Amino acid sequence: MKLLVTGGAGYVGSVCAARLVEGGHEVVVLDDLSTGHADAVPDGCRFVRGDLAEVAGDVLSEGYDGVLHFAAKSLVAESMADPAKYWDGNVVTSLRLLEAMREHGTPRLVFSSTAATYGQPEEVPIPESAPTRPTNTYGASKLAIDYAITSYARAHGLAAVSLRYFNVAGAHGQYGERHTVETHLIPLVLQVAQGTREHIQIAGEDWPTEDGTCVRDYIHVTDLADAHELALSHAVGGEHRIYNLGSGHGFSVREVIDACRRVTGHPIPAVVGPRRPGDPDRLIASSTLARAELGWTPERTDLDRIVADAWAFASR
Ligand code: UFG
């Protein structure tokens, strides 16, 4: 297939683009490099640097079999401080993309969505049928796009799949996580092992969990990328399907820090700080639907393996 990958110079986008090239697809990456890196665009992809909202129509006029849409703003705290950046950068931009796809008859869309669309869960593991009550603007913006996609699928026959990621981690060889503003646990802990950060601050240890720290479902970025290729091939015209992607196991912040100590051999000092506003205590995915309907099986679920791949990437 000839595929457009928006945000293909970012973490998840670059890994997915690399996997699609490995799978024999023709891949064009569109990215404005606002948070991505030109050298993260995988070999074998054509790279178009530009503002998605402005150039989507021109690019799609060449004719594509599908779009994988990763380009987005994704910092939860920033989304609360500067909501316009998220309504404009995520929602308005995605609407422009949908219109360009309709205009040029692009038949398939795989959208990078998030567990943040659910907010504080009532039941864990979280199924796709759980209520969507996002607790931050980032999650709300992604949920708004999901609604828009549903209406485009119904009205215009788009074949669409949204994938709701839990905590993406690890690396795919030379493609990995390099955020200028890093907020994610595993890369921050690895910075301590690298000596660029003194200690890791645990965001609260008075949560109602086994060891008092928050529990998350860490999914290896390569497993996540594989789900995108499956989603593309299973997308059905006129339907918008939504799948959660996680490993189905929960690991606490302390368990993650211990895994990083085992993998790096560094003592990694940790201090306990206050809770981070808006953090749910426990997020674990039910990926039963993705397994049943897409035939997806995450293969890299071992936490030490996930951390080891992130560490190999960070140590490059
Ligand atoms: N944490 C710390 N110390 C840190 C950083 C994080 O203790 O320095 C904790 C957090 O409080 C949280 C856990 O580590 O309990 C994981 O935090 P991340 O920031 O790595 O990930 P989140 O679970 O907050 O975020 C993920 C996705 C977001 C999404 C969110 C939905 O990365 O895109 O889930 O709640 F919005």
PDB file of all heavy atoms in Angstrom, residues 227-239:
ATOM      1  N   ALA A 227       0.374  -3.596  15.660  1.00  0.00           N
ATOM      2  CA  ALA A 227      -1.089  -3.457  15.703  1.00  0.00           C
ATOM      3  C   ALA A 227      -1.581  -2.487  14.628  1.00  0.00           C
ATOM      4  O   ALA A 227      -2.684  -2.650  14.089  1.00  0.00           O
ATOM      5  CB  ALA A 227      -1.531  -2.985  17.087  1.00  0.00           C
ATOM      6  N   HIS A 228      -0.767  -1.495  14.296  1.00  0.00           N
ATOM      7  CA  HIS A 228      -1.186  -0.527  13.271  1.00  0.00           C
ATOM      8  C   HIS A 228      -1.275  -1.183  11.897  1.00  0.00           C
ATOM      9  O   HIS A 228      -2.192  -0.897  11.123  1.00  0.00           O
ATOM     10  CB  HIS A 228      -0.214   0.653  13.223  1.00  0.00           C
ATOM     11  CG  HIS A 228      -0.332   1.545  14.417  1.00  0.00           C
ATOM     12  ND1 HIS A 228       0.099   1.173  15.663  1.00  0.00           N
ATOM     13  CD2 HIS A 228      -0.853   2.789  14.555  1.00  0.00           C
ATOM     14  CE1 HIS A 228      -0.158   2.153  16.516  1.00  0.00           C
ATOM     15  NE2 HIS A 228      -0.735   3.139  15.869  1.00  0.00           N
ATOM     16  N   GLU A 229      -0.315  -2.044  11.608  1.00  0.00           N
ATOM     17  CA  GLU A 229      -0.350  -2.711  10.306  1.00  0.00           C
ATOM     18  C   GLU A 229      -1.565  -3.641  10.231  1.00  0.00           C
ATOM     19  O   GLU A 229      -2.252  -3.701   9.208  1.00  0.00           O
ATOM     20  CB  GLU A 229       0.959  -3.477  10.083  1.00  0.00           C
ATOM     21  CG  GLU A 229       1.178  -3.799   8.619  1.00  0.00           C
ATOM     22  CD  GLU A 229       2.556  -4.376   8.316  1.00  0.00           C
ATOM     23  OE1 GLU A 229       3.416  -4.419   9.217  1.00  0.00           O
ATOM     24  OE2 GLU A 229       2.752  -4.794   7.155  1.00  0.00           O
ATOM     25  N   LEU A 230      -1.850  -4.333  11.350  1.00  0.00           N
ATOM     26  CA  LEU A 230      -3.036  -5.205  11.384  1.00  0.00           C
ATOM     27  C   LEU A 230      -4.321  -4.378  11.245  1.00  0.00           C
ATOM     28  O   LEU A 230      -5.257  -4.782  10.540  1.00  0.00           O
ATOM     29  CB  LEU A 230      -3.065  -5.996  12.694  1.00  0.00           C
ATOM     30  CG  LEU A 230      -2.018  -7.107  12.814  1.00  0.00           C
ATOM     31  CD1 LEU A 230      -1.927  -7.616  14.250  1.00  0.00           C
ATOM     32  CD2 LEU A 230      -2.376  -8.276  11.870  1.00  0.00           C
ATOM     33  N   ALA A 231      -4.340  -3.216  11.897  1.00  0.00           N
ATOM     34  CA  ALA A 231      -5.528  -2.357  11.834  1.00  0.00           C
ATOM     35  C   ALA A 231      -5.787  -1.910  10.400  1.00  0.00           C
ATOM     36  O   ALA A 231      -6.940  -1.891   9.937  1.00  0.00           O
ATOM     37  CB  ALA A 231      -5.348  -1.144  12.753  1.00  0.00           C
ATOM     38  N   LEU A 232      -4.715  -1.575   9.696  1.00  0.00           N
ATOM     39  CA  LEU A 232      -4.860  -1.150   8.292  1.00  0.00           C
ATOM     40  C   LEU A 232      -5.517  -2.239   7.459  1.00  0.00           C
ATOM     41  O   LEU A 232      -6.406  -1.972   6.642  1.00  0.00           O
ATOM     42  CB  LEU A 232      -3.471  -0.930   7.699  1.00  0.00           C
ATOM     43  CG  LEU A 232      -2.921   0.447   7.510  1.00  0.00           C
ATOM     44  CD1 LEU A 232      -1.593   0.332   6.786  1.00  0.00           C
ATOM     45  CD2 LEU A 232      -3.871   1.358   6.748  1.00  0.00           C
ATOM     46  N   SER A 233      -5.061  -3.465   7.667  1.00  0.00           N
ATOM     47  CA  SER A 233      -5.569  -4.543   6.814  1.00  0.00           C
ATOM     48  C   SER A 233      -6.960  -5.004   7.244  1.00  0.00           C
ATOM     49  O   SER A 233      -7.654  -5.660   6.482  1.00  0.00           O
ATOM     50  CB  SER A 233      -4.570  -5.712   6.773  1.00  0.00           C
ATOM     51  OG  SER A 233      -4.331  -6.181   8.064  1.00  0.00           O
ATOM     52  N   HIS A 234      -7.373  -4.665   8.481  1.00  0.00           N
ATOM     53  CA  HIS A 234      -8.703  -5.079   8.939  1.00  0.00           C
ATOM     54  C   HIS A 234      -9.745  -3.956   8.835  1.00  0.00           C
ATOM     55  O   HIS A 234     -10.915  -4.187   9.158  1.00  0.00           O
ATOM     56  CB  HIS A 234      -8.648  -5.572  10.383  1.00  0.00           C
ATOM     57  CG  HIS A 234      -8.052  -6.947  10.523  1.00  0.00           C
ATOM     58  ND1 HIS A 234      -6.699  -7.186  10.446  1.00  0.00           N
ATOM     59  CD2 HIS A 234      -8.638  -8.154  10.701  1.00  0.00           C
ATOM     60  CE1 HIS A 234      -6.468  -8.472  10.593  1.00  0.00           C
ATOM     61  NE2 HIS A 234      -7.630  -9.090  10.739  1.00  0.00           N
ATOM     62  N   ALA A 235      -9.323  -2.753   8.441  1.00  0.00           N
ATOM     63  CA  ALA A 235     -10.272  -1.634   8.402  1.00  0.00           C
ATOM     64  C   ALA A 235     -11.346  -1.905   7.337  1.00  0.00           C
ATOM     65  O   ALA A 235     -11.044  -2.382   6.248  1.00  0.00           O
ATOM     66  CB  ALA A 235      -9.526  -0.340   8.081  1.00  0.00           C
ATOM     67  N   VAL A 236     -12.598  -1.588   7.698  1.00  0.00           N
ATOM     68  CA  VAL A 236     -13.742  -1.877   6.823  1.00  0.00           C
ATOM     69  C   VAL A 236     -14.426  -0.566   6.441  1.00  0.00           C
ATOM     70  O   VAL A 236     -14.706   0.261   7.326  1.00  0.00           O
ATOM     71  CB  VAL A 236     -14.746  -2.799   7.567  1.00  0.00           C
ATOM     72  CG1 VAL A 236     -16.009  -3.018   6.741  1.00  0.00           C
ATOM     73  CG2 VAL A 236     -14.098  -4.122   7.929  1.00  0.00           C
ATOM     74  N   GLY A 237     -14.702  -0.363   5.168  1.00  0.00           N
ATOM     75  CA  GLY A 237     -15.327   0.873   4.689  1.00  0.00           C
ATOM     76  C   GLY A 237     -16.630   1.168   5.420  1.00  0.00           C
ATOM     77  O   GLY A 237     -17.448   0.269   5.626  1.00  0.00           O
ATOM     78  N   GLY A 238     -16.802   2.416   5.854  1.00  0.00           N
ATOM     79  CA  GLY A 238     -18.047   2.822   6.520  1.00  0.00           C
ATOM     80  C   GLY A 238     -18.056   2.542   8.011  1.00  0.00           C
ATOM     81  O   GLY A 238     -19.016   2.863   8.696  1.00  0.00           O
ATOM     82  N   GLU A 239     -16.962   1.917   8.517  1.00  0.00           N
ATOM     83  CA  GLU A 239     -16.935   1.594   9.955  1.00  0.00           C
ATOM     84  C   GLU A 239     -15.761   2.267  10.639  1.00  0.00           C
ATOM     85  O   GLU A 239     -14.683   2.381  10.060  1.00  0.00           O
ATOM     86  CB  GLU A 239     -16.791   0.075  10.154  1.00  0.00           C
ATOM     87  CG  GLU A 239     -18.036  -0.676   9.782  1.00  0.00           C
ATOM     88  CD  GLU A 239     -17.929  -2.164  10.097  1.00  0.00           C
ATOM     89  OE1 GLU A 239     -17.115  -2.548  10.964  1.00  0.00           O
ATOM     90  OE2 GLU A 239     -18.660  -2.928   9.450  1.00  0.00           O
TER      91      GLU A 239
END
